[in-house]
Amino acid sequence: MTRLITEADLDEMGFLSDNAAENIEEARICEAWATDRENFELDEDVTAQFLLTLASEKYQKAGELDEAWRVAQAAVAAGDGPPLGAHSQLLDLAFERDDRASALHYLDEVRRARTDDLHGLQSIAETLELRDEVDLAQRWFIIGMRAASWVGSDAYYEVFLLGRYRVRRLHAIPLDGLDVDAEHLRIDRGLAPLADGESPPLSF
C-alpha cells in the first residue's frame, strides 16, 4: 500500500537545518517521495519538481554539492511544476560549484524559451542579485519586466523594476529613467529613495 504525500508532509520538511546529517537524511526522504512510486503517491498539490528542488537545497546546505546538482537536474526534468520551478536552484548551485559555463547555459535556455513564468523569472533574477552578478541581475530584471508587460502583470512589472533599481543602487550605478520610475514607485509606497550602497530587503 502506498503512502500519500500531502502538503502537511511538506510543512514538516520545509526547513533547512544547521545540522548537515539532518539535511542529508531529509533530502533522501524528499527524493524518495518524489521518485518511489511503489511506496509513495503524491497528492494533487504536491509535485516531484518541488520535492526534488527541496532535496537539492538540503544537500546544498549540507555541503553535498554533487548530490545537490544531480537532484536539481532531476527537478528541472520532472516536468510536473512551473516551467522555471527548479531553474533558480540549479543556477545557484552552478555558481556555488564555480561552474559559470553551466550557469550561462541555463540562462540562455530560459532566455530562448521566452517563458511567461514570472515567479520563476523573479527567482532567477534574485538569485543573480544574491550572487552579486550585477550585470546579469540587471539584465534578468529587464527580461522579467518585458515578460510582465507581455502578460499584462503590473504587480510583477513593479517587482522587476524595483529589483533592477535595488541592484543599481547597491552598486552605485548612475540613475537612469527606469531608476527614476522606481524611486517614484517607492515614494508612492511611503518609502524613501535608496542611497548609494544601500541594500534593502528583496521585496523593496
Side-chain angles (χ1 to χ4, degrees), residues 148-188:
S149 294
W150 299 332
V151 173
S153 174
D154 292 340
Y156 266 106
Y157 182 90
E158 292 178 358
V159 166
F160 292 119
L161 176 67
L162 290 172
R164 177 182 181 271
Y165 171 74
R166 191 172 55 232
V167 170
R168 290 167 64 83
R169 290 286 72 210
L170 178 61
H171 295 278
I173 298 170
L175 297 178
D176 63 9
L178 290 174
D179 294 323
V180 173
D181 290 345
E183 291 194 331
H184 289 163
L185 180 58
R186 283 181 61 87
I187 291 169
D188 289 344

Side-chain angles (χ1 to χ4, degrees), residues 16-202:
L16 298 179
S17 171
D18 290 328
N19 183 293
E22 288 180 6
N23 282 320
I24 291 171
E25 179 182 0
E26 291 179 353
R28 289 172 177 163
I29 291 170
C30 288
E31 187 176 3
W33 287 350
T35 59
D36 184 355
R37 295 282 69 85
E38 290 187 5
N39 293 299
F40 303 105
E41 177 185 355
L42 303 184
D43 199 14
E44 60 182 2
D45 295 323
V46 179
T47 65
Q49 180 192 82
F50 181 84
L51 287 167
L52 291 167
T53 301
L54 182 57
S56 177
E57 291 172 351
K58 289 178 179 292
Y59 278 128
Q60 182 180 11
K61 180 72 172 178
E64 296 289 337
L65 298 186
D66 289 342
E67 286 295 279
W69 181 256
R70 175 184 63 79
V71 178
Q73 289 179 309
V76 168
D80 63 345
L84 303 181
H87 277 71
S88 60
Q89 170 62 10
L90 197 64
L91 180 66
D92 188 63
L93 272 169
F95 283 115
E96 185 158 342
R97 286 158 52 97
D98 293 323
D99 186 358
R100 189 177 181 81
S102 290
L104 295 177
H105 169 75
Y106 284 108
L107 289 173
D108 192 54
E109 279 192 343
V110 174
R111 180 189 58 79
R112 287 187 281 105
R114 295 175 66 86
T115 179
D116 61 0
D117 181 357
L118 299 181
H119 180 73
L121 289 172
Q122 179 187 354
S123 296
I124 286 173
E126 290 181 351
T127 295
L128 293 167
E129 176 183 0
L130 291 170
R131 286 286 175 182
D132 283 330
E133 291 286 340
V134 178
D135 292 339
L136 286 173
Q138 289 185 81
R139 182 183 184 193
W140 279 84
F141 279 120
I142 287 287
I143 289 172
M145 289 168 63
R146 290 173 180 162
S149 294
W150 299 332
V151 173
S153 174
D154 292 340
Y156 266 106
Y157 182 90
E158 292 178 358
V159 166
F160 292 119
L161 176 67
L162 290 172
R164 177 182 181 271
Y165 171 74
R166 191 172 55 232
V167 170
R168 290 167 64 83
R169 290 286 72 210
L170 178 61
H171 295 278
I173 298 170
L175 297 178
D176 63 9
L178 290 174
D179 294 323
V180 173
D181 290 345
E183 291 194 331
H184 289 163
L185 180 58
R186 283 181 61 87
I187 291 169
D188 289 344
R189 292 184 176 183
L191 301 167
L194 298 175
D196 284 356
E198 190 172 350
S199 179
L202 290 185

